[in-house]
Amino acid sequence: MTVVTTDAATPSQRLAALGLTLPAVPPPAGAYVPARRHGELVWTAGQLPLVDGVLAETGPVGAVADGGSVPAERATDLARICALNALAAAAAVAGGLDALTGVVKVVGFVASVPAFTGQPAVINGASDLFVAVFGDAGRHARSAVGVSVLPLNAPVEVELVVTIS
């Protein structure tokens, strides 16, 4: 995704200018909460690329012999879906998207084949969205980690730490 600049003043206006809306917060798949507020920070649990409660894709990122893999470009789109889910979870405990004032840290996990080294480019799908929604306040520290498998065979998972007003 190319970062789109907009004259919109608030995160919710910027999100709308991108033609996006926050989805419903996906329910947790275990004994945890989707997000937790602590002081002036909100930490999210890892968010998968769920759309209406269903994984948008499954399998590892990168080429595998049987063809059962997710192309890197598609995985970048999936990271953006994870980012939207993370924003929804954070906004739910903060009092809305406009209560979020910036992004501190992003951790992205990419289920990938051993030879795949493009994890940073995949997680750019999330990072670019955060900058588009928050402007300079969306620039963040980040880790992009390759793993052998993620929950439910998801290709990508994103965690988020944001500041609140």
Side-chain angles (χ1 to χ4, degrees), residues 14-108:
R14 290 183 187 122
L15 191 69
L18 294 168
L20 300 171
T21 59
L22 288 183
V25 178
Y32 62 89
V33 294
R36 169 102 191 227
R37 179 179 177 169
H38 181 74
E40 294 181 359
L41 296 174
V42 174
W43 302 73
T44 71
Q47 299 295 315
L48 302 177
L50 296 169
V51 177
D52 297 325
V54 177
L55 277 175
E57 297 277 349
T58 60
V61 178
V64 293
D66 68 2
S69 63
V70 177
E73 298 79 18
R74 175 66 176 142
T76 300
D77 294 337
L78 297 172
R80 182 177 175 176
I81 294 170
C82 294
L84 279 171
N85 288 336
L87 285 175
V93 300
L97 182 61
D98 293 336
L100 307 179
T101 57
V103 179
V104 176
K105 173 78 175 183
V106 173
V107 180

